[in-house]
Amino acid sequence: MDYLVIDNGQPFAPQDGKIEVAEVFGYTCGGCAQFEPVVSAWKRRLPADVRFVPVPAAFGGYWVPYARAYWAAETLGVVDKTHDAMFNAVHVQRSLPVQGVTAEQFAQFYAGHGVDPKTYAATFNSFGIEAKLNRSKQFAMRSRIESTPTMVVNGKYTVSVGDSYEKMLNTVEHLIAQERAAR
């Protein structure tokens, strides 16, 4: 079987009438960096009744600052222009370290994308970001996420990479069709 059923699973951010596909990812994950161009092209082709939701993994340690960075960028409305650049900074340019990255380093990175460093730092350390981080952690635990990238379809099924990214996405499409048929 190419997916696991989540007992009593729930979508991350349910929206009326939409089938949710959540991607649990980490900026520090090499597989996620390789998957990003594939999933970016795929999500542009999703039907109107499917909603794609990125969820940064906050497993602990060096995962947490990067999850916090994602939520700060999302809060500030710059994810669309910084998401790919963050993967590039970590995995290609190596201008951001995997471990030991600081809020100041993130602020410098986002300043390069037009975000005021003080605004970024305040957002990064805010209560709102802490709440989003906790939601990420709870979702991953509830969905029994053990690795990244992992897709969660409608909160009911987890799909991990396995053989290939294409096979993973085919399984996700099968589960989307199954969810649509069950309505």
Side-chain angles (χ1 to χ4, degrees):
M1 179 158 46
D2 297 327
Y3 62 90
L4 295 173
V5 176
I6 303 167
D7 295 327
N8 303 311
Q10 301 167 7
F12 181 74
Q15 210 174 58
D16 290 342
K18 299 270 186 176
I19 298 167
E20 180 185 272
V21 175
E23 176 203 9
V24 181
F25 76 95
Y27 284 128
T28 56
C29 161
C32 296
Q34 292 174 338
F35 184 50
E36 193 53 37
V38 177
V39 78
S40 288
W42 178 81
K43 71 183 177 187
R44 285 193 289 271
R45 301 189 308 267
L46 288 173
D49 67 337
V50 178
R51 187 165 155 262
F52 184 84
V53 180
V55 179
F59 295 136
Y62 60 84
W63 293 83
V64 174
Y66 279 96
R68 185 181 290 278
Y70 173 84
W71 286 125
E74 188 242 14
T75 299
L76 294 167
V78 296
V79 164
D80 289 346
K81 66 180 181 178
T82 60
H83 192 61
D84 292 343
M86 179 63 80
F87 278 116
N88 192 46
V90 175
H91 297 281
V92 179
Q93 298 170 343
R94 301 198 189 287
S95 55
L96 287 171
V98 170
Q99 296 187 32
V101 67
T102 65
E104 291 74 27
Q105 287 171 302
F106 284 132
Q108 285 179 327
F109 169 81
Y110 286 103
H113 296 278
V115 177
D116 175 68
K118 286 188 172 116
T119 302
Y120 181 82
T123 304
F124 183 84
N125 292 308
S126 71
F127 177 78
I129 299 307
E130 194 64 34
K132 289 180 179 195
L133 202 56
N134 286 333
R135 277 190 63 219
S136 289
K137 289 177 189 173
Q138 290 166 0
F139 179 74
M141 286 173 49
R142 188 173 61 240
S143 302
R144 298 192 317 268
I145 305 296
E146 295 178 359
S147 63
T148 55
T150 295
M151 306 288 268
V152 181
V153 179
N154 237 16
K156 297 179 183 176
Y157 312 99
T158 59
V159 185
S160 296
V161 177
D163 297 338
S164 71
Y165 298 133
E166 290 73 22
K167 187 175 178 188
M168 178 183 187
L169 293 175
N170 287 340
T171 301
V172 169
E173 288 172 3
H174 165 78
L175 293 168
I176 289 169
Q178 188 174 302
E179 284 296 292
R180 190 177 289 125
R183 289 182 173 177

